[in-house]
């Protein structure tokens, strides 16, 4: 069988070009993305920055551990609790560090400050000029000239300071002023031996040396987020690449088997058993896959640097990682995946080939006797049912999860697979409907009738169009839909006409106390303050769960409002741990409706700066006068007053930019695959259509008319694929919209007509071009003789 398989590859090489390219392209993608994944996952963390000059740093514990019956459950703390006083006292030779949110009141946000913070002089670098700050109103900085009088915004408000000295980078108060602005001690640096410091501290704090000091850097969270973003994008792209590769290979092999039914029937008539015929198809798939996967796996790593640069430039990969990992496992994984994809894609085709009967060698017909076998009907209906049931279960049991883009991707894929499996039957039904409406005696009627008579061939061309249009429309529309739903949920607590927000680096920076007092004094308005925070709860006494929460000054002391999934009712007592790890027990005042912006609302704490102020105009208040008063109150405090509508628009624009990159990567991969599959199918079908074109020539059709008929038939086929893709998108979006209805209400559906129109037009242009190239063979070029 191996010799027959190789001989078949030589004779029918055109049938395997698309499969070869799809496997090579997929293996190259997997190798390149795997190389990026290996790079981002194994690259060392960024070298220490904030404490690079200090050998030993003592810092508070950053983990909350709660005992359960299974042992300790841990979560990273959202807020540092500060070092205990006895730890600081045990290190008399150490220098105390305090991280103080501070910005210049004048100039661009963060000007002259290290990431929007200030620190005590004990941690300052060498002076470049001037002298060490000594008075309470003196600072050393890199953001203003020596002797200048500057205004600085801290948590207490705006204060004026004199620049007594200049440094290379940063903003530094006197040690006494820093202690007044932030009593909490964030770290102590020690010039000594780490083991002696550990002996003095014990288990009351962390003692960090070497690269572990980087754990305290301000960009640590952003670095981890960049790693996760890169891994997520690469993982999703790999999943779609494998899915579409199997789809393309399966459709290509199925079409090739349909073309070779007589060949397989002759083998059966010559004594070949069904199992031998199936093995023949598998050997062909394996022979193609071995070469294609090897080429792709070897070529893929060359694409990895460009892919990593693309992600890094858009903030979706660690910015300090520039060297690609030398790991070899991505190439082996790509090779193995390519071979596996080829064999999986050939399963259905091999099964169909083995069912060919010897008597079909004598059959001579171009009309398909049966559009779809029963097994394909069952697979298509089961897949469709699974997709619909999944949507129904999500809508009933967990509608809030629909706001996560990842949750609807599997449903879209199931719908596309179902449409692909049922495509021959759907194409036949729709084509018959179109045939009844086509004008008599036209090329359109001839094209529609031919499409109807060759439903399988039509479905093989329409399937890539279906995937392209269906997936693009579903993902793009659903992405905008979830963004709109998130905006609605975000706006629910904002029952206000205006919002006052911090402007600048967000490292502990909120609305300062002086500004809060000024906003409360604005006439004709009611102001409510809220602060973002985090709480931790135990689920079933086994799992410690981190939840987003908010502190609001309209929640009475000792009370809490919780989401429905806490399993509590009004009047119950909620046991939880606050952002700094301290335990609290609060009485449940209200159970929040589904889809709340946060999981809980807590009373405002005295030491927390509000992160937002919600301002409502009282009846009769002049909006223009209120706007001027709010902006005047915020002036100089590094805050801005915006309307509710402007805030929602800015928030929606910010949240969509990063996720669009992932969608574009996925759609780019899908478009490359589906274009390849469509072009390959049209070129494979061209030789089998030579007899039809020759018959049209014998009936008097000119070469131009034959090509026009070919173009019309291709456009009809593309239109059918577009129609099926639209149906998939409508079902997917309708299911998502219905699910979000119970969470965010009737969300507006936005259709990117320009993008989808360009995609559809480009697909049609490529399809017609490929069909015309296939039609200009010798049989078409040769003008038939008239008898």
């Amino acid at each position: 069988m191996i010799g027959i398989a190789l001989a078949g590859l030589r004779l029918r090489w055109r049938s395997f070009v698309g499969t070869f390219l799809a496997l090579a392209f997929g293996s190259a993608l997997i190798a390149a993305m795997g190389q990026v994944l290996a790079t981002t996952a194994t690259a060392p963390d960024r070298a220490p920055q904030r404490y690079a000059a200090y050998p030993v740093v003592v810092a508070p514990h950053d983990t909350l551990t709660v005992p359960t019956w299974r042992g300790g459950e841990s979560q990273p703390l959202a807020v540092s609790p500060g070092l205990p006083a006895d730890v600081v006292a045990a290190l008399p030779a150490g220098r105390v560090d305090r991280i103080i949110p501070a910005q210049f009141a004048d100039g661009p946000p963060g000007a002259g400050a290290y990431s929007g913070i200030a620190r005590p002089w004990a941690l300052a670098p060498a002076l470049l000029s001037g002298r060490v700050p000594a008075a309470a109103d003196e600072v050393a900085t890199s953001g203003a000239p020596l002797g200048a009088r500057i205004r600085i915004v801290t948590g207490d408000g705006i204060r004026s300071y004199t620049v007594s000295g200049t440094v290379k980078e940063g903003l530094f108060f006197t040690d006494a002023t820093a202690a007044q602005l932030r009593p909490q001690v964030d770290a102590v640096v020690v010039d000594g031996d780490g083991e002696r410091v550990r002996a003095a501290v014990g288990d009351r704090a962390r003692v960090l040396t070497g690269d572990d000091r980087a754990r305290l850097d301000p960009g640590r969270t952003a670095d981890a987020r960049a790693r996760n973003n890169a891994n997520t994008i690469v993982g999703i792209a790999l999943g779609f690449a494998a899915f579409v590769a199997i789809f393309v290979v399966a459709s290509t092999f199925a079409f090739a088997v349909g073309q070779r039914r007589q060949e397989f029937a002759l083998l059966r008539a010559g004594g070949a058993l069904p199992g031998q015929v199936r093995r023949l198809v598998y050997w062909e798939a394996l022979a193609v896959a071995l070469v294609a996967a090897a080429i792709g796996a070897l070529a893929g790593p060359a694409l990895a640097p460009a892919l990593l640069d693309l992600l890094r430039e858009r903030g979706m990969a660690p910015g300090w990682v520039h060297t690609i990992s030398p790991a070899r496992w991505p190439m082996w994984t790509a090779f193995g995946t390519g071979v596996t994809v080829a064999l999986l894609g050939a399963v259905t085709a091999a099964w169909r080939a083995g069912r060919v009967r010897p008597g079909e060698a004598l059959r001579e017909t171009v009309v398909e006797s049966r559009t779809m076998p029963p097994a394909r009907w069952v697979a298509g209906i089961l897949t469709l049912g699974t997709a619909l049931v999944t949507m129904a279960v999500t809508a009933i049991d967990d509608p809030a999860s629909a706001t996560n883009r990842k949750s609807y991707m599997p449903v879209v894929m199931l719908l596309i697979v179902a449409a692909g499996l049922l495509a021959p039957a759907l194409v036949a039904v729709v084509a018959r409907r179109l045939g009844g409406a086509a004008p008599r005696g036209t090329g359109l009627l001839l094209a529609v009738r031919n499409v109807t008579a060759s439903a399988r061939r039509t479905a093989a061309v329409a399937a890539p169009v279906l995937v392209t249009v269906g997936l693009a429309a579903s993902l793009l529309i659903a992405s905008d839909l979830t963004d709109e739903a998130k905006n609605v949920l975000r706006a629910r607590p904002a029952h206000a006409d205006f919002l006052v927000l911090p402007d600048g680096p967000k490292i502990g920076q909120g609305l300062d106390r002086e500004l809060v007092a000024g906003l409360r004094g604005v006439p004709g308005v009611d102001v409510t303050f809220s602060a973002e925070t985090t709480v931790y709860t135990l689920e079933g006494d086994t799992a410690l769960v981190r939840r987003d929460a908010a502190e609001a000054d309209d929640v009475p002391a000792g009370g809490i409002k919780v989401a429905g999934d806490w399993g509590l009712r009004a009047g119950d007592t909620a046991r939880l741990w606050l952002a700094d790890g301290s335990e609290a027990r609060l009485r449940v005042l209200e159970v929040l409706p589904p889809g709340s912006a946060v999981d809980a609302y807590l009373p405002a704490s005295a030491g927390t700066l509000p992160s937002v102020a919600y301002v409502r105009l009282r009846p009769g208040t002049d909006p223009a006068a209120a706007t001027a008063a709010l902006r005047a109150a915020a002036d100089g405090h590094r805050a801005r007053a915006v309307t509710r509508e402007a805030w929602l628009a800015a928030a929606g624009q910010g949240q969509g930019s990063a996720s669009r990159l992932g969608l574009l990567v996925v759609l780019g991969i899908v478009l490359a695959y589906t274009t390849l599959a469509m072009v390959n199918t049209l070129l494979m079908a061209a030789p089998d259509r030579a007899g039809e074109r020759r018959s049209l020539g014998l009936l008097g059709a000119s070469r131009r008319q034959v090509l026009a008929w070919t173009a019309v038939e291709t456009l009809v086929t593309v239109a059918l694929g577009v129609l099926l893709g639209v149906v998939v998108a409508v079902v997917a979006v309708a299911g998502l919209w219905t699910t979000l209805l119970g969470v965010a209400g009737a969300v507006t559906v936005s259709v990117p007509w320009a993008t989808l129109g360009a995609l559809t037009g480009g697909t049609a242009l490529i399809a017609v071009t490929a069909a015309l190239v296939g039609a200009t063979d010798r049989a078409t070029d040769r003008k038939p003789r008239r008898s």
Side-chain angles (χ1 to χ4, degrees):
M1 280 296 171
I2 299 178
I4 297 176
L6 294 177
L9 289 176
R10 287 194 300 270
L11 292 174
R12 283 189 168 272
W13 63 270
R14 297 178 73 177
S15 300
F16 298 99
V17 170
T19 302
F20 182 90
L21 294 177
L23 292 174
F25 179 61
S27 299
L29 276 178
I30 292 172
M33 293 179 182
Q35 209 79 44
V36 172
L37 190 61
T39 300
T40 57
T42 62
D45 290 332
R46 196 194 300 261
Q49 300 175 63
R50 176 176 285 172
Y51 297 105
Y54 308 102
V56 182
V57 183
V58 180
H61 289 296
D62 62 349
T63 302
L64 169 65
T65 301
V66 177
T68 66
W69 68 271
R70 296 192 310 175
E73 291 289 324
S74 300
Q75 285 281 357
L77 285 174
V79 174
S80 171
L83 280 174
D86 58 343
V87 172
V88 179
L91 302 168
R95 284 176 280 176
V96 172
D97 191 14
R98 307 175 195 272
I99 309 302
I100 307 165
Q103 296 187 73
F104 288 4
D106 307 303
Y114 179 70
S115 300
I117 65 168
R119 302 168 74 187
W121 174 252
L123 276 296
L127 278 172
L128 298 179
S129 62
R131 58 176 177 80
V132 175
D137 65 343
E138 292 181 342
V139 295
T141 183
S142 58
L146 187 66
R149 191 72 175 169
I150 58 175
R151 297 192 305 159
I152 298 175
V153 183
T154 64
D156 289 342
I158 303 176
R159 301 290 184 271
S160 294
Y161 297 86
T162 300
V163 179
S164 66
T166 61
V167 293
K168 182 178 180 181
E169 182 181 36
L171 174 64
F172 299 90
F173 294 106
T174 64
D175 292 347
T177 302
Q180 291 176 355
L181 293 174
R182 185 173 176 85
Q184 173 179 305
V185 176
D186 294 296
V188 175
V189 300
V190 182
D191 296 320
D193 180 66
E195 293 304 321
R196 287 201 298 267
V197 175
R198 287 189 179 91
V201 171
D203 60 357
R204 295 172 294 174
R206 294 179 294 157
V207 178
L208 305 176
T209 59
D211 290 340
D212 288 341
R213 294 170 296 168
R215 297 179 184 177
L216 304 178
D217 286 336
R220 185 78 172 185
T221 302
D223 291 347
R225 188 183 304 114
R227 284 184 188 270
N228 292 334
N229 286 337
N231 296 342
T232 300
I233 289 178
V234 170
I236 293 175
L238 283 174
F240 271 96
F243 164 72
V244 182
I246 293 175
F247 193 95
V248 170
V249 173
S251 62
T252 302
F253 267 100
F255 188 73
V257 167
Q259 289 183 309
R260 301 167 61 190
R261 291 188 69 86
Q262 285 188 327
E263 177 185 328
F264 293 134
L266 287 172
L267 288 175
R268 291 295 316 281
L273 298 175
Q276 291 176 311
V277 175
R278 286 194 291 269
R279 284 195 293 275
L280 171 64
V281 176
Y282 282 127
W283 277 116
E284 291 176 344
L286 183 61
V288 173
L290 289 175
V291 180
I295 293 175
L298 292 173
L303 304 175
L307 179 59
L308 181 61
D309 289 343
L310 175 68
L311 296 176
R312 190 174 55 244
E313 290 170 0
R314 287 158 178 78
M316 304 300 288
W320 74 93
V321 178
H322 297 275
T323 304
I324 295 294
S325 169
R328 291 290 177 261
W329 65 260
M331 290 193 295
W332 289 108
T333 302
F335 178 77
T337 303
V339 174
T340 303
V341 164
L343 296 178
L344 289 176
V347 168
T348 305
W351 180 80
R352 286 183 58 197
R355 289 177 57 87
V356 175
R357 297 177 180 179
E360 293 189 40
L362 303 176
R363 179 180 296 175
E364 187 67 35
T365 178
V366 295
V367 180
E368 297 166 354
S369 57
R370 184 170 59 181
T371 302
M372 285 177 51
R376 187 161 181 167
W377 275 108
V378 173
I381 292 174
L382 285 178
T383 306
L384 178 61
T386 302
L388 297 178
V389 169
T390 301
M391 286 193 295
V393 170
T394 302
I396 295 172
D397 291 345
D398 191 16
S401 67
T403 57
N404 185 351
R405 292 181 175 87
K406 300 176 186 176
S407 65
Y408 62 78
M409 286 186 179
V411 174
V412 174
M413 294 168 68
L414 286 173
L415 289 173
I416 288 176
V417 171
L421 290 171
L422 300 175
L426 297 175
V427 163
V429 172
V430 175
R432 290 191 188 97
R433 296 286 184 183
L434 292 176
R440 301 292 176 181
T442 62
L444 177 61
L445 178 62
L446 178 62
V448 172
R449 292 291 173 83
N450 198 50
V451 165
T452 306
S454 305
R456 282 184 183 173
R457 182 180 63 208
T458 303
V461 178
V465 182
L466 155 68
V467 175
T468 301
V469 176
L471 194 62
S474 299
L475 293 184
L476 291 176
I477 296 175
S479 177
D480 290 340
L481 202 61
T482 55
D483 286 345
E484 181 67 21
K486 289 178 180 179
N487 280 340
V488 172
L489 296 179
R490 187 182 291 106
R492 279 184 176 174
H495 300 299
D497 301 297
F498 294 89
L499 291 91
V500 182
L501 306 164
D503 185 15
K506 295 183 178 180
I507 300 181
Q509 184 73 44
L511 304 177
D512 62 79
R513 298 178 183 86
E514 190 177 83
L515 172 59
V516 169
L519 292 174
R520 292 189 188 279
V522 173
V525 301
D526 294 317
V527 187
T528 302
F529 296 94
S530 178
E532 299 175 357
T533 187
T534 300
V535 296
Y536 307 85
T537 60
L538 273 178
E539 286 193 358
D541 294 329
T542 58
L544 187 63
V545 180
R546 176 172 176 160
R547 298 175 179 272
D548 293 329
E551 295 181 1
D553 58 0
D554 60 349
V555 178
I560 187 175
K561 300 177 182 180
V562 302
D565 63 354
W566 285 43
L568 299 175
R569 296 176 298 179
D572 291 345
T573 299
R575 180 194 182 198
L576 53 91
W577 290 263
L578 302 178
D580 62 356
S582 58
E583 186 175 353
R585 295 179 182 268
L586 303 174
R587 186 171 62 87
V588 177
L589 304 174
E590 178 186 340
V591 177
L592 301 171
S596 176
V598 294
D599 288 335
Y601 288 95
L602 290 75
S605 57
T608 304
L609 296 178
S611 56
V612 60
Y614 300 110
V615 182
R616 298 187 65 180
L617 303 183
R618 295 172 186 166
T621 301
D622 181 16
T627 302
L630 290 172
R631 291 177 177 170
D635 183 42
H637 289 269
R638 283 302 179 198
R640 66 188 189 280
V642 297
T643 63
R644 182 174 181 271
E645 292 73 19
W647 171 69
L648 287 176
Q653 183 178 5
Q655 74 178 11
S657 58
S659 62
R660 282 283 174 177
L661 176 61
L663 281 181
L664 292 177
V665 171
V666 169
L667 292 178
I669 293 172
V670 172
L671 183 60
Y673 268 121
T674 52
T675 301
L676 175 63
M678 182 177 61
V679 171
N680 180 67
T681 303
L682 288 167
L683 294 179
M684 285 172 59
D688 296 339
R689 310 294 302 280
E692 299 176 22
R693 295 192 295 271
R694 191 179 300 113
S695 298
L696 288 173
L698 291 171
L699 293 173
S702 65
R703 181 175 182 275
R704 180 175 297 180
Q705 288 174 318
V706 171
L707 294 178
W709 167 75
T710 302
V712 170
E713 182 180 333
T714 304
L715 288 175
V716 171
T717 304
V718 170
L720 292 174
V722 171
L723 181 60
L724 294 179
V726 169
V727 171
V728 167
V730 168
V731 173
V733 172
L736 179 62
W737 187 88
T738 303
T739 302
L740 294 175
L741 187 64
V743 178
V747 183
T748 304
V749 178
S750 177
V751 181
W753 294 110
T755 301
L756 296 179
L759 191 63
T760 302
T763 301
L765 179 61
I766 293 172
V768 170
T769 302
L772 294 179
V773 169
T776 55
D777 57 9
R778 294 181 180 179
T780 303
D781 292 337
R782 185 168 53 249
K783 186 177 180 179
R785 296 180 181 178
R786 294 179 180 272
S787 57

